[in-house]
Amino acid sequence: MAQYIVGNWKMNGTKAEAEALAFTLAAKAKDVSGPLPHVVLCPSYPYLVPVLKILEGSTLESGAQDCSPEANGAFTGDVSVSQLSNIGCTYVIVGHSERRHHHLEPNALIRQKAEAVIRGKLKPIICIGETEEEYRAGKCFSVLSEKLEACLPSSCVHSDILIAYEPVWAIGTGLTPSLEEVEKVMSFLKERLRTHIPEGDLVPTLYGGSVNAANARLFLTLPYVDGLLVGGASLRADDFWHIIMATERQEP
Ligand code: PEP
């Protein structure tokens, strides 16, 4: 199965910084003769076009951090999938816990967004994860099952989507679940995906939450971890490159 390393730059940096980061990563990627994982850079909206320009001719791709579920029209401040497709984006993160928390996005809306992304022929990276309270209450698996079912686009096929497991309490905190816990969750997600989608275990499942240059390889060695969604460490070219290279030994 192909591997994915996704960098979520969130609402950080200047245009010059975004360009420099994209330029450095694209240059490093050009020097690699062997296969690379899918590398997806997700800058904030204003920097998508300049970053995409730098990525031209590179194997690196670009994604948005969110989108509107609507096709077009009077939705001030929103960005549609067709607009993202029009500038050359190939992925869209939907349901990130920061959108769920700060913008009160419910599962039903996330599902609509994911469906809009698929209709627009882009790939949604659908994020699900449990809060610290849910984790402590031992509700991780039931919460994930519920969120997965509620966010999965109707009648999608396994090649339409990616799922990112991001424990909310691990995002930006330096805390991570144990490797055993991640393995159990990822195995559970593959099993749930199989029940909802034909050959659902082929849906790429990513881990996200305080991934860094030191721990990336540990997560990537786990069965059922097909890639990583990286926040803070994706803003540092050397660290993010190290994470990309941590996939290396997994390639055939
Ligand atoms: C994220 O925002 O998706 C994320 C995983 O952040 P961090 O790597 O900083 O925990």
Side-chain angles (χ1 to χ4, degrees), residues 8 10 93 96-98 127 166 170-175 207-212 229-234:
N8 176 12
K10 310 195 186 187
I93 298 171
H96 191 281
S97 72
E98 286 152 15
C127 301
E166 298 210 299
I171 295 180
T173 59
L175 302 171
Y207 168 75
S210 294
V211 171
N212 57 41
L229 176 49
V230 187
S234 71

Side-chain angles (χ1 to χ4, degrees), residues 7 13 27 78-79 85 134 176 180 184 197:
D78 285 346
V79 175
S85 168
E134 290 162 342
T176 64
E180 290 75 14
K184 273 192 193 141
I197 302 173

